Amino acid sequence: MARAHGDPRALSPAAGFVWDPRLASHVYRDDHPLKPKRLIGVYETLRSLGAFDREGARLFEPREATEAELARIHAPGYIEAVKQASRDPELDYREWGLSHQGDTPPFAGMHEASLLTTGGTLIGIEEVLAGRLRVSFNGAGGLHHAMRRRASGFCIYNDPAIACGLLADRGMKVAYVDIDAHHGDGVQAAFYDTDRVLTISLHEDGRYLFPGTGFARERGSGKGAGYSINVPLPPYADDRAYVRAFDAVVPPLLERFRPDVLVTQQGIDPHFSDPLTHLQVSTRARAHLVSWFVRTPYPWVAMGGGGYSLDAVRRTWAMEYLLMLGAPVPDELHDVNPPEEGGERRRTVDRATDTAISEALAAAF
Ligand SMILES: [Zn+2]
């Protein structure tokens, strides 16, 4: 196992779960695929399993992020525009990436809801760095597409980028691992020219899925060359391909980088039942990945992300929190008979996965 700075034995074994019904109460638009209420299912499932009564479990409330924290990543003009859209959502905010019929609509209260979502990630940092938690999980966070002056892809404030930036400002080396089905473009953009934040994104190939970026050739610039790592996987990539790609890229690069802190975006839209993507990952592959995160010695700040099959969100994130606690995972949370490709499609998926692995490793620092 990699040993980072500090003594892993000093880490608290506790796992925090950020929870407040207000994180799950806002509505982007009635027909919008991102339904914050999905978190209620995760919370209720864990509660019914007695997870929060286990040793090391800590439920804690988010706080609101401050505007100074938002400004670590976002332009003041953009923050002002979101505040205005929050008060008066009927106006035209398209220059800021907010559009009524688009992916990221303006809605009443969006600024306040986003402050809480972002603050849920940031309070996790404080608890983890204080040694009171080994990991914190904010299922409401992980909004990785938001840009400096533009909302994008359901994301208003980029809490993972704000988290990475604030950690880097404390002099820490940050490893950001993004396992959402979509490329973590906003986080990559924020740290493209620095070697202090290593970003690794495993996602569906941008030729087939939003946001259309995340190719191996996007590897960072200047001092950051080799510190933006992209692993674009082919449509139909199943557990076998996905686990192979993760194991080939993430553990060796983190071992080489030796971060002070690990930040993960755990969107569950790679799931085979997800209506928006074409990856075919199951709870089995996710358990493999998250168990690896658990075994690392790094202080760890974890977030949710995408996830549009509400039942897959409920079962997978409940499972992932149990793994963080070191608790047993009941069979009922796992997928039955996850898909596995055969024949010509197996060969196509494996070939494309091999290419993605070798190009990602070749691009690395
Ligand atoms: Zn996604």
Side-chain angles (χ1 to χ4, degrees):
M1 182 186 294
R3 291 287 290 265
H5 308 276
D7 183 348
R9 287 167 303 184
L11 291 173
S12 159
F17 185 94
V18 179
W19 177 245
D20 184 320
R22 290 179 296 164
L23 292 172
S25 63
H26 53 294
V27 176
Y28 278 65
R29 194 173 56 223
D30 284 341
D31 66 347
H32 197 281
L34 179 52
K35 301 198 184 305
K37 69 177 184 189
R38 66 197 173 141
L39 294 174
I40 297 170
V42 181
Y43 169 78
E44 293 291 349
T45 298
L46 286 166
R47 204 181 54 152
S48 71
L49 291 168
F52 302 123
D53 303 323
R54 299 187 73 94
E55 192 181 351
R58 278 242 347 254
L59 262 180
F60 64 114
E61 291 182 358
R63 64 168 171 83
E64 291 195 340
T66 67
E67 287 195 23
E69 288 167 335
L70 300 181
R72 177 61 181 79
I73 293 297
H74 295 291
Y78 173 68
I79 298 168
E80 282 308 313
V82 173
K83 285 164 75 174
Q84 199 195 342
S86 195
R87 288 191 302 269
D88 198 356
E90 298 309 318
L91 300 180
D92 185 347
Y93 300 97
R94 282 175 295 181
E95 67 171 301
W96 305 102
L98 298 164
S99 108
H100 294 97
Q101 294 313 313
D103 278 352
T104 322
F107 61 91
M110 65 188 299
H111 174 68
E112 292 72 20
S114 303
L115 286 182
L116 208 60
T117 297
T118 306
T121 298
L122 301 182
I123 198 169
I125 290 180
E126 291 151 22
E127 294 298 302
V128 167
L129 293 189
R132 289 189 289 270
L133 295 177
R134 182 285 191 256
V135 56
S136 73
F137 177 71
N138 177 24
L143 301 173
H144 59 169
H145 296 305
M147 295 290 177
R148 179 167 163 72
R149 48 178 55 251
R150 182 166 53 85
S152 175
F154 317 160
C155 302
I156 298 156
Y157 296 136
N158 194 323
D159 62 295
I162 294 167
C164 291
L166 294 174
L167 287 163
D169 290 348
R170 294 179 184 225
M172 303 182 88
K173 283 174 73 176
V174 183
Y176 172 74
V177 181
D178 186 321
I179 56 173
D180 192 281
H182 300 91
H183 175 223
D185 57 344
V187 185
Q188 173 176 292
F191 304 106
Y192 206 61
D193 59 0
T194 177
D195 58 359
R196 302 299 296 174
V197 180
L198 169 66
T199 64
I200 306 177
S201 180
L202 272 79
H203 47 260
E204 182 175 339
D205 189 321
R207 288 175 296 173
Y208 310 104
L209 194 69
F210 178 90
T213 53
F215 300 98
R217 63 178 177 269
E218 298 162 34
R219 58 186 294 273
S221 60
K223 279 179 77 172
Y227 292 86
S228 291
I229 303 300
N230 286 296
V231 189
L233 297 165
Y236 308 112
D238 53 7
D239 281 0
R240 183 146 48 119
Y242 194 82
V243 163
R244 199 153 51 85
F246 181 89
D247 286 350
V249 174
V250 178
L253 292 187
L254 262 60
E255 180 104 359
R256 197 188 305 169
F257 184 65
R258 295 183 154 284
D260 297 308
V261 58
L262 172 65
V263 178
T264 58
Q265 197 274 20
Q266 298 176 196
I268 182 51
D269 46 10
H271 193 268
F272 65 84
S273 69
D274 195 276
L276 265 55
T277 78
H278 318 98
L279 298 179
Q280 301 199 87
V281 170
S282 82
T283 53
R284 302 288 170 186
R286 289 287 290 226
H288 176 88
L289 269 62
V290 172
S291 297
W292 186 81
F293 293 144
V294 168
R295 290 195 305 276
T296 65
Y298 316 117
W300 175 20
V301 179
M303 281 154 273
Y308 310 100
S309 158
L310 269 53
D311 186 57
V313 170
R314 181 185 69 79
R315 289 184 293 109
T316 310
W317 286 350
M319 173 194 78
E320 294 180 354
Y321 182 66
L322 291 173
L323 293 171
M324 292 171 186
L325 276 176
V329 175
D331 280 345
E332 70 205 56
L333 297 184
H334 273 297
D335 295 311
V336 179
N337 297 326
E340 179 162 0
E341 291 296 344
E344 183 53 31
R345 193 181 268 175
R346 165 93 269 146
R347 286 187 287 278
T348 305
V349 163
D350 284 344
R351 239 187 337 262
T353 302
D354 283 339
T355 302
I357 292 169
S358 58
E359 290 185 355
L361 292 174
F365 60 100

